[in-house]
Amino acid sequence: MSKIVVIGSSNIDLIATVKNFPAAGETIIGKSFLQAIGGKGANQAVAAHKLGGDVKFITCLGTDVDGQNTLKYFRETGLDVSSVLLVEETPSGTAIILVNENGENCIVTTPGANHLLLPDYIHKIKDDIAACDMVLLQMEIPYDTIKTVCELAHKQQKTIMLNAAPACRLDKELIKMIDVLVVNETEAETVSSGKIDEIGEKAIIDKLLELGAKTVVLTLGKQGCLLKNEKETYSIPAFCVKALDTTAAGDTFCGALAARLTRGEGWEQALKFATAASAICVSRIGAQPSIPTEKEVNEFLCKIYIA
Ligand code: RIB
C-alpha cells in the first residue's frame, strides 16, 4: 500500500449545539456540549487511516495537557505520529465550534502550536516526504510551511493533494505544484477570484485548472461533487442523509479520497467512497467522533446499492 503523509493542524474542539447562532452581544443557552480532538490536519489524517490508508501524521502540539492527551489518542488510534513536533510554552490549538439546528457550523480556531510548524522543521522531516507517495495538506499551518512541503514533494514527484481550507488565496507557483486541489464553493471562489453565481461551477473549475492545478475536485454539499482534469470529468451525487453536523465533512472526504487513491482506486470509485464517508460524517455530531470506519462506509454503500 502507498504511504500518505498528512502535514497539518491539530486542535481541541469545544463544540456547542445551539438552536440558532447568537447575534453580536447576545448570550444564548446551548443544547449540548462536546469536547473532542479535531483540526483539519488531524481529522484528515484520522479519516485516511480509518478508511484504509497507510498514514503518517505530522503536526505541532504543545507539551500542555491537551497536547499530551492528543498524542496519546493518536497513538491509540494507530496513527504513525513518530515525527510530531512538541513545543513548550505554547498551548496546543483550539477550535470553538457552534452547530445550529440545520447542522451548519461556525468555527473560530486559535492556532497556538499549529503556527509553530515552520519550514525549518519540514527540512528536518524531509525523509518522511521522500518515503511517501502522497502528501495531504490543508491551510491551518503557516503558508510558508505549506509551500516548503510542496517544493520538496514536487521535486520528488510525490502526489500533492491540497484542501484549500480555510479559504485562502494561493500564489501561482504553489497552485502549479498541486496535483489534486479539493475545494468547496467558498474556497473555489477565493482561490480563483471568480463568483460561482456569475459564471457557474464548471467555469470556476476551469479557472482553477488554468491556474495550474492538475485535477480539481469541487465539493458541493447536498449536491455532491465535481471533478475535472485534462482527461476526465465526473459528477458524483450526494447521498441523502439527515445532516446533524457538517463539521469535518470536508476533512472526511479528503482523507477518504487520499486513502482510496493511494490504494489504487480510480477517480470515480474513490469519489463515491469519499462522498459516502462524508454522508455518514454529517449524520453524527463532532469532527473526529463522526468519522466512519472503512467497514461502516462499505456497509452504507452496500445498503444504498441493494435498496
Ligand atoms: O474542519 C473541521 C475542523 O476545523 C474542526 O475540527 C476544527 O478544529 C477546525 O480546524
Side-chain angles (χ1 to χ4, degrees):
M1 198 195 313
S2 303
K3 181 120 198 159
I4 306 163
V5 170
V6 182
I7 303 179
S9 60
S10 295
N11 290 328
I12 295 293
D13 287 353
L14 306 172
I15 310 154
T17 58
V18 297
K19 190 167 187 312
N20 298 302
F21 296 133
E26 189 184 9
T27 300
I28 57 166
I29 309 292
K31 296 207 277 187
S32 68
F33 175 77
L34 173 71
Q35 176 169 329
I37 288 161
K40 295 187 194 301
N43 297 343
Q44 295 186 17
V46 169
H49 170 70
K50 285 178 86 173
L51 296 167
D54 179 7
V55 182
K56 179 160 200 165
F57 181 41
I58 297 172
T59 191
C60 181
L61 298 167
T63 50
D64 52 6
V65 175
D66 286 341
Q68 289 171 31
N69 289 341
T70 303
L71 197 55
K72 186 166 168 271
Y73 163 84
F74 289 150
R75 289 194 178 120
E76 285 166 2
T77 308
L79 264 185
D80 178 351
V81 281
S82 52
S83 295
V84 165
L85 175 64
L86 294 172
V87 290
E88 287 176 0
E89 289 167 25
T90 303
S92 300
T94 49
I96 294 165
I97 304 179
L98 298 182
V99 180
N100 73 8
E101 272 191 338
N102 300 326
E104 298 160 328
N105 63 38
C106 279
I107 305 182
V108 179
T109 68
T110 44
N114 292 309
H115 273 191
L116 294 182
L117 190 61
L118 297 170
D120 278 3
Y121 188 68
I122 299 304
H123 288 290
K124 288 189 189 145
I125 54 97
K126 63 179 188 321
D127 290 350
D128 288 328
I129 295 175
C132 81
D133 297 280
M134 176 188 280
V135 290
L136 174 55
L137 298 152
Q138 322 71 32
M139 306 304 301
E140 285 187 332
I141 56 172
Y143 191 89
D144 287 352
T145 305
I146 291 163
K147 202 142 179 206
T148 305
V149 173
C150 289
E151 281 160 3
L152 287 173
H154 185 67
K155 258 187 217 148
Q156 298 178 62
Q157 296 174 338
K158 308 297 177 187
T159 301
I160 299 172
M161 185 185 292
L162 176 79
N163 174 218
C168 170
R169 299 294 300 272
L170 305 176
D171 68 80
K172 280 185 196 157
E173 278 169 36
L174 181 64
I175 301 186
K176 284 191 180 132
M177 292 188 276
I178 298 168
D179 297 291
V180 187
L181 176 66
V182 184
V183 280
N184 65 18
E185 288 146 294
T186 314
E187 293 146 10
E189 289 186 344
T190 306
V191 178
S192 69
S193 307
K195 286 263 162 265
I196 292 183
D197 280 353
E198 288 166 15
I199 61 173
E201 289 140 1
K202 292 197 172 127
I204 287 278
I205 293 179
D206 286 340
K207 265 177 164 277
L208 295 168
L209 291 170
E210 276 159 28
L211 286 169
K214 315 274 177 315
T215 293
V216 174
V217 180
L218 176 63
T219 59
L220 297 163
K222 285 179 196 156
Q223 269 72 53
C225 67
L226 299 172
L227 174 142
K228 191 170 178 191
N229 58 31
E230 214 182 11
K231 294 189 194 136
E232 296 148 295
T233 307
Y234 294 102
S235 170
I236 308 292
F239 297 98
C240 192
V241 289
K242 178 163 170 38
L244 289 185
D245 177 8
T246 53
T247 310
D251 298 334
T252 301
F253 182 93
C254 291
L257 190 61
R260 306 319 282 188
L261 292 175
T262 52
R263 279 174 61 162
E265 277 180 11
W267 283 120
E268 192 171 12
Q269 214 182 341
L271 287 169
K272 269 188 196 155
F273 186 91
T275 304
S278 63
I280 300 174
C281 171
V282 301
S283 68
R284 301 169 176 174
I285 302 280
Q288 293 199 16
S290 66
I291 298 170
T293 60
E294 186 178 10
K295 185 167 172 270
E296 285 174 316
V297 179
N298 285 332
E299 284 170 2
F300 177 89
L301 284 169
C302 258
K303 270 191 216 149
I304 298 271
Y305 289 118
I306 287 170

